[in-house]
Amino acid sequence: GRTIKMYLVDGTPNGVLTAEIMNWTGKVISCPRPKLAKLASRADAKRTGVYFLVGDDPDDPSRERIYIGETDDVFGRLAAHEKDERRDFWVRTVFVTSKDENLTKSHTLYLESRLIKIAREAGRATIDNATSPTKYLPESDVSDMEYFLSQVKLILPVLGFVFGGFKFEAQHAWSGRSVR
């Protein structure tokens, strides 16, 4: 078994929430777009991490559209996307950082590359990324990041993010759609 600890920051299921897995250095934070400003005061939102912008695909409302990115300052990047008309589709974001601040730019570039590949292969959503970067790490770092990625793949579906084909049945609280 595994324990996933979720904390409803706003005290509501449709607000900012954090999720952690016991004995894992990662931390996942989910936020609806209208509450993005609430992340401004969070230290963990200003760390290096990977993030997802998620919403309905304007070209095919039966599908989700996602954008996967990485940055050294998650909140700063999300604030920039908030103003970017090319990415106007998103209604919710989820990002992954490290509690111990040991996630580096090279690590997040690798994770971004792997997550884009996984999402494209799953074919469950329209991927808004124009490129599919390939980043290389030393063998030991690849092993660490593949473990980190396995935890991301475990926790995202629990939060209702299944665009990567991760196995979990949930219902999107913000859209009411059932997903498998």
Side-chain angles (χ1 to χ4, degrees), residues 14-31:
N14 294 324
V16 176
L17 71 85
T18 67
E20 301 176 41
I21 299 173
M22 188 64 138
N23 295 322
W24 178 50
T25 61
K27 184 171 189 177
V28 178
I29 298 159
S30 175
C31 177

Side-chain angles (χ1 to χ4, degrees), residues 97-147:
T97 64
S98 176
K99 293 182 280 190
D100 62 9
E101 299 186 47
N102 280 327
L103 203 57
T104 68
K105 180 77 168 177
S106 293
H107 293 141
T108 58
L109 285 166
Y110 179 84
L111 290 170
E112 175 195 40
S113 174
R114 290 283 289 122
L115 287 161
I116 290 170
K117 181 179 180 195
I118 290 167
R120 281 196 172 129
E121 287 173 355
R124 291 181 150 219
T126 303
I127 311 305
D128 201 54
N129 297 71
T131 63
S132 186
T134 303
K135 299 298 174 193
Y136 299 98
L137 289 174
E139 184 178 16
S140 61
D141 285 343
V142 167
S143 178
D144 290 341
M145 288 303 97
E146 286 298 320
Y147 174 75

Side-chain angles (χ1 to χ4, degrees), residues 24 37 39 45 47-49 104 131 139 147 149 174 179:
W24 178 50
L39 298 177
R47 292 188 181 142
T48 300
T104 68
T131 63
E139 184 178 16
Y147 174 75
L149 181 61
W174 61 94
V179 293

Side-chain angles (χ1 to χ4, degrees), residues 43-114:
D44 48 15
K46 295 179 179 155
R47 292 188 181 142
T48 300
V50 292
Y51 63 92
F52 306 84
L53 305 178
V54 183
D56 289 335
D57 184 341
D59 300 326
D60 183 357
S62 67
R63 291 177 57 89
E64 283 186 315
R65 178 174 291 234
I66 64 168
Y67 176 82
I68 302 168
E70 65 76 34
T71 182
D72 278 331
D73 175 1
V74 174
F75 177 74
R77 192 71 179 113
L78 293 175
H81 283 305
E82 172 72 8
K83 299 172 187 168
D84 186 352
E85 290 181 13
R86 294 173 301 145
R87 301 250 154 51
D88 201 33
F89 66 89
W90 67 283
V91 295
R92 190 161 189 83
T93 186
V94 61
F95 61 92
V96 185
T97 64
S98 176
K99 293 182 280 190
D100 62 9
E101 299 186 47
N102 280 327
L103 203 57
T104 68
K105 180 77 168 177
S106 293
H107 293 141
T108 58
L109 285 166
Y110 179 84
L111 290 170
E112 175 195 40
S113 174
R114 290 283 289 122

